[in-house]
């Protein structure tokens, strides 16, 4: 009986770790039926597949981070769906409630925010890209990323 309870508890922990953000999922569910809603999901270790096509990842840190991705979920809301910025604000607030930490923030002609979950090893990354016109893109990455490598890859991306 103890083994059964332990097995169920371990299964529950694994399932919880691999579950996507509830806030991201809710936003996806809200817009998935819209005609001009764009969504792309890549599962498994798709970077091994990309290597077969000789796609060159120049920087070692970027290649390591890319190979750590187990699942990528990308979607863009229909054009001007978030004119008031309410969806963007709600998603930021939802991620913070789910204990995602703000890893990076950049603003120019819009805003880019990168949220992470985990300490030394990051398990989830969520990237929000919003602009003044009401366009919102969300990229969610699942995997196991060393915090140092993510920081180095982000430095490379800013150059």
């Amino acid at each position: 009986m103890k083994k059964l309870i332990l097995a169920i508890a371990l299964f529950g922990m694994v399932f919880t770790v691999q579950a996507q953000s509830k806030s991201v999922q809710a936003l996806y569910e809200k817009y998935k039926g819209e005609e001009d809603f764009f969504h792309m999901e890549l599962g498994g270790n798709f970077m091994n597949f990309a290597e077969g096509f000789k796609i060159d990842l120049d920087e070692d840190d970027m290649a390591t981070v890319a190979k750590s991705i187990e699942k990528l979920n990308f979607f863009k809301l229909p054009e001007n769906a978030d004119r008031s910025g309410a969806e963007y604000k709600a998603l930021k607030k939802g991620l913070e409630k789910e204990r995602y930490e703000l890893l990076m923030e950049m603003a120019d002609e819009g805003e880019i925010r990168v949220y992470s979950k985990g300490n030394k090893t990051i398990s989830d990354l969520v990237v929000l890209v919003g602009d003044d016109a009401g366009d919102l893109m969300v990229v969610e990455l699942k995997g196991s990323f060393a915090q140092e490598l993510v920081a180095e890859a982000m430095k490379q991306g800013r150059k």
Side-chain angles (χ1 to χ4, degrees), residues 29-150:
E29 291 294 326
K30 181 176 180 178
Y31 286 98
K32 74 177 183 181
E34 303 264 338
E35 187 174 318
D36 58 346
F37 175 74
F38 177 79
H39 174 251
M40 177 178 68
E41 186 173 320
L42 300 172
N45 192 350
F46 65 90
M47 292 313 293
N48 284 339
F49 178 73
E51 281 180 357
F53 289 105
K54 306 292 184 214
I55 296 174
D56 185 26
L57 295 170
D58 295 335
E59 303 296 329
D60 289 336
D61 294 328
M62 291 291 275
T64 302
V65 170
K67 288 179 182 178
S68 299
I69 298 171
E70 294 171 5
K71 181 180 177 184
L72 178 137
N73 188 20
F74 169 82
F75 61 86
K76 182 183 179 303
L77 295 188
E79 199 163 316
N80 300 319
D82 192 27
R83 268 224 187 279
S84 68
E87 298 288 11
Y88 186 73
K89 290 173 189 168
L91 188 52
K92 289 190 308 187
K93 189 177 234 178
L95 288 170
E96 290 165 5
K97 281 183 181 177
E98 292 179 54
R99 299 183 185 234
Y100 279 81
E101 293 182 32
L102 181 62
L103 191 61
M104 183 183 89
E105 180 177 24
M106 242 172 40
D108 191 13
E109 292 181 19
E111 191 173 328
I112 299 173
R113 295 174 73 94
V114 179
Y115 288 90
S116 67
K117 204 166 200 181
N119 292 326
K120 286 193 175 213
T121 303
I122 296 171
S123 60
D124 302 334
L125 285 170
V126 177
V127 181
L128 307 179
V129 181
D131 67 14
D132 298 333
D135 293 330
L136 175 62
M137 290 186 296
V138 178
V139 180
E140 186 175 34
L141 303 167
K142 297 287 183 189
S144 181
F145 312 99
Q147 191 176 37
E148 300 83 28
L149 290 177
V150 171

